[in-house]
Amino acid sequence: METLREKYAENTRRILLDTARRLFSEREYASVSAEELVRTAGLTRGALYHHFNGKLGLFEAVFEDLERQATQRITAAIDPVSDPRERADHAVDEFLDICREPTYRHIVLQQGPIALGWQQWRALDQRHLGGLVLDIVQTALDAGRIRPHPAELIARAFYGALTELSLAIAETDNPDQARTQAAGLVRDLVDGLAIDAPSPSA
């Protein structure tokens, strides 16, 4: 059973995460101070450093929350779908929809590389989304629906393409248009590897 101390700690952590998510979604990482975070949350610097070891640790936790939620949404979008090509299309559509949402776009795609550094940003992003891409690729390979290249290479190629397209959506003044264009491009890329499904009479 959860103790009162544990409940208090979890509540404190949640308040910090919610406060940080709001402030980091509204402003640039560098313009939000640790003092402002704890003052807005109604907590102390000690609470911030105890739970997250400072502003950067709190930003990383918010970042990972958003990535976990994105992975869950994509997984939920493809779980009911059995056809490998349709699974890929649903996954891409959901991912690109997420990329144009203001909070994800600003925190993960715009401020993430700045706050975390490119290598750490890529490592965290791949930790959450890389395995999902590989799973979709492996399913399509096992079903004979894409050309037989190594699964890891195909997954890295598509992960790289999706990463660059997500950054393009983040950088543009018209994310809706960029999302539509990106979806068309990814479908063309998939078509280049695709093998048509056999007809039911075959």
Side-chain angles (χ1 to χ4, degrees):
M1 181 179 293
E2 191 177 35
T3 67
L4 286 175
R5 182 184 181 91
E6 289 169 339
K7 288 181 180 178
Y8 177 78
E10 180 54 35
N11 185 57
T12 299
R13 180 181 171 85
R14 190 72 259 165
I15 290 170
L16 283 166
L17 284 167
D18 291 345
T19 301
R21 177 169 174 156
R22 179 167 58 82
L23 292 178
F24 287 137
S25 69
E26 294 169 353
R27 310 229 302 277
E28 294 184 356
Y29 171 79
S31 73
V32 180
S33 67
E35 288 76 9
E36 181 181 6
L37 283 164
V38 296
R39 183 175 67 249
T40 305
L43 297 168
T44 65
R45 285 178 65 92
L48 170 62
Y49 281 87
H50 173 73
H51 289 283
F52 299 104
N53 200 31
K55 183 179 86 165
L56 180 58
L58 179 54
F59 179 89
E60 185 173 316
V62 171
F63 178 99
E64 291 216 69
D65 262 359
L66 289 167
E67 290 284 57
R68 274 190 292 270
Q69 291 164 17
T71 303
Q72 290 165 359
R73 282 179 53 178
I74 296 167
T75 301
I78 66 175
D79 273 351
V81 183
S82 58
D83 180 78
R85 175 57 190 269
E86 290 183 18
R87 282 171 63 84
D89 287 345
H90 279 67
V92 169
D93 284 339
E94 190 67 28
F95 173 68
L96 295 177
D97 282 343
I98 291 167
C99 289
R100 68 177 174 180
E101 293 174 0
T103 298
Y104 187 92
R105 183 175 174 235
H106 187 72
I107 293 177
V108 174
L109 300 177
Q110 293 178 337
Q111 296 304 307
I114 296 170
L116 301 170
W118 175 255
Q119 288 187 334
Q120 178 69 352
W121 177 83
R122 187 177 183 278
L124 290 175
D125 185 68
Q126 193 163 35
R127 178 194 300 172
H128 291 282
L129 297 173
L132 188 57
V133 174
L134 180 58
D135 178 67
I136 292 168
V137 167
Q138 190 64 63
T139 299
L141 277 170
D142 291 345
R145 297 294 302 279
I146 55 177
R147 300 182 190 283
H149 298 282
E152 183 70 28
L153 286 180
I154 299 173
R156 291 186 68 169
F158 278 105
Y159 173 81
L162 289 168
T163 297
E164 289 301 318
L165 290 171
S166 71
L167 294 174
I169 292 171
E171 293 165 3
T172 184
D173 293 330
N174 191 340
D176 289 340
Q177 181 185 60
R179 180 253 179 269
T180 300
Q181 293 172 339
L185 175 55
V186 173
R187 286 191 171 86
D188 283 346
L189 292 174
V190 173
D191 283 343
L193 281 174
I195 297 173
D196 289 338
S199 65
S201 59

